[in-house]
Amino acid sequence: MNLFSLLERTARQWPDGGAVYLGDERVQTWASLRHRSLVLAGALSAFGPAGSRVAVASENAPAYLELMFGTWAAGGAVVPLNYKLHAKEMAQIVEDADAAVVFASPALAPALQAALPSPWRGRIVVTGTPGYESLFQGEPAAVAATDPQSLAWLFYTSGTTGRSKGAMLSHRSLMSMTLGHLADVETIDETCSQIHAAPMSHGSGLYIPAYVARGARQVVPASQGFDPAEFLALCDSHPGCGAFLAPTMVQRLRLAAQASGHLPAQLRTIVYGGGPMYVEELRKSLAVFGQVFVQIYGQGESPMTITWVRREDHASGDEAILGSVGVARTGVEVRVIGEDGADVPPGEIGEIIVRGDVVMAGYWNNASGTAEALRDGWLHTGDMGSLDPRGYLTLRDRSKDVVISGGSNIYPREVEEALLTHTGVAEVSVVGQADEEWGEVVVAFIVVAPGEDVTPQALDAHCLDRIARFKRPKRYLFLDALPKNSYGKVLKRQLREQLAAGGTR
Ligand code: AMP
C-alpha cells in the first residue's frame, strides 16, 4: 500500500477535473498531476536509490503536490522543510535526514546552497527552472512496491522546546491519519477545495492525502502563504472551502473579516489546532463565521490525530467542551498517567500518552529520543492534561511550560484564559521566571489591544476576580508582539530566555 494510490484513483475518476490551483488559476488536472508525478518518480532514481529522502524547501507552491506524490511513487520519503527557518537550520535538517536531493524554490535556494557543506553529496534542484522541468520529460514510472511500514514523510518537529527531531511517519501512519480525518473531522467530495494558507510543510500538507482521496481542489494562494484578505477572497471563488489554520491565524482572519465586513461566501470548514485556542477568541470567531470550526489536537509524532472537538460540540456552547481539545480520535487510544505510570482519576492532571497506527515509528537516527518518547507501544506526548468522565481531554501545558511557584503547579493556559477576557488584552503569554523565594514566579507578557490602555493594577484586579491568588502574575511586561515561530506558536522558550537575560522592560 502506497499513498500514491489515493491520487491514482482520483485521477481515474476525474481525469479532467481541476486538481491544483494557484490563486484562481488552474495549473493541473488530476490526470496531469498523476502523469507529472509518475514521470518525476522515474527521474528521481538518478539522485539516489529507492527509499531516498527527498527534501522540499519552498514556500507553499503547486510543485509541492507533484514532489510529494512523485516521491511516494518512487518509494522515497519526503522531508518538507519549514520555509521560514534560517538557511542554516534547513541545512542542518537536510544533513540530518541525509537527503539525496533538495527541491528548493528560487527564493530559498541560494542561501540554502551556501549553508550546505561544499562539496555536499546530494543535489539541489531549483523548482520552476528549465533544469526542474527537464525532470518531467521522460516516461511515467511504475509505482514502487511499498511496504506499509516504509518511511513516507520525515517530519521535523517545530522544536519549540528543544532541537528539531525527525518523526518517522510511514505510509500506514499517514493512511491511518487520512482515514481518521475522513471518518471524524469532515466530509469531503469533489466539489470541495483545500486552501493552503498554513505551511504545506506542516498541518496543511498533512491534509493533502485526505483531500486528494476525495478529488477536492488543491488551492495555493498566489501569495504562497497566509494573507487574511486573500484567504477571504479565495473562499468566494472556490467551492466548499476547507483549511487548516493555527489559532493565531483564525484570530487574524476574524479581525480582517470584521474590519472589512467581508464574509467568505463558500467557507465550509476551518480545522484549527497546533496551539491553544482560547475560549474567548473561539466565541468571537464562531459569532463571525458560524459553525465552521473543528478543533484537532495532534503533534508531529501522532500527526494531526490525538483528539478532536466536533463541529456539533462547538454549537453546544458548553464552556468545558470549548475549553477542551475534545475526545479521542477514532482508532486512537488516549490515557492520562501520573509519574508512577498509572492512569490518574478523572479531573486530575497527568501526562497524555497515545497509542494507534497513526503514531510515528520513532525519531530518525535518534535511539535515545525514541526510547524516551515510545514506551511499551505508547507515545509520551510531553503534554499535560486531564480527562473528564465523558472522555473530554483538557490540555494544560507542555510539561516544560508548567510554572512551579511555592510548591504549587500553575498552568499558564489558565492564567492566559483569564487575562484574555480583559478587553484591553489582545494577546498574552504566561511563563515562569526563576525566583529565590518562590522557586518560580508567574510573569505575563501582554500585547495591548489597539486603542486600549491597561495597567498592571487593572490586570491584577481582573485576575483576582477570576483565578486563585497564588496563580496571578507577579509581573506584567508589555510587548508590541509576541515572538512566534512560522506556525504561529508562541516561543515561550524565547520569552524565558529574555527574562533570564534581563532584557525586558
Ligand atoms: P507540533 O509537533 O509542532 O505539531 O507541535 C505539537 C504540540 O502543539 C502539541 O504537543 C501540543 O503541545 C500543541 N498543540 C497541538 N494541538 C493543540 C491544540 N489543539 N491545543 C493546544 N495545543 C496544541
Side-chain angles (χ1 to χ4, degrees), residues 13 22 60 98 117 259 263 317 476 501:
Q13 206 169 350
L22 183 60
N60 285 355
D98 191 21
L263 287 178
Y476 290 94

Side-chain angles (χ1 to χ4, degrees), residues 155-161 167 202-203 206 244 247 272-278 295-304 306-309 323-326 352 381-384 395-399 401 413 485 487 489:
F155 184 102
Y156 279 82
T157 57
S158 56
T160 46
T161 52
H202 205 79
L206 286 165
F244 172 76
Y272 64 89
M277 169 65 100
Y278 300 101
Q295 179 182 188
I296 60 104
Y297 156 53
Q299 58 176 204
E301 294 82 346
S302 186
M304 313 302 271
I306 299 177
T307 59
W308 101 112
V309 181
S324 79
V325 292
I352 300 162
T381 61
D383 289 321
M384 307 298 284
L395 207 60
R396 302 296 161 161
D397 289 277
R398 291 198 66 75
S399 49
D401 289 333
R413 167 93 185 250
N485 72 9
Y487 300 128
K489 287 186 209 253

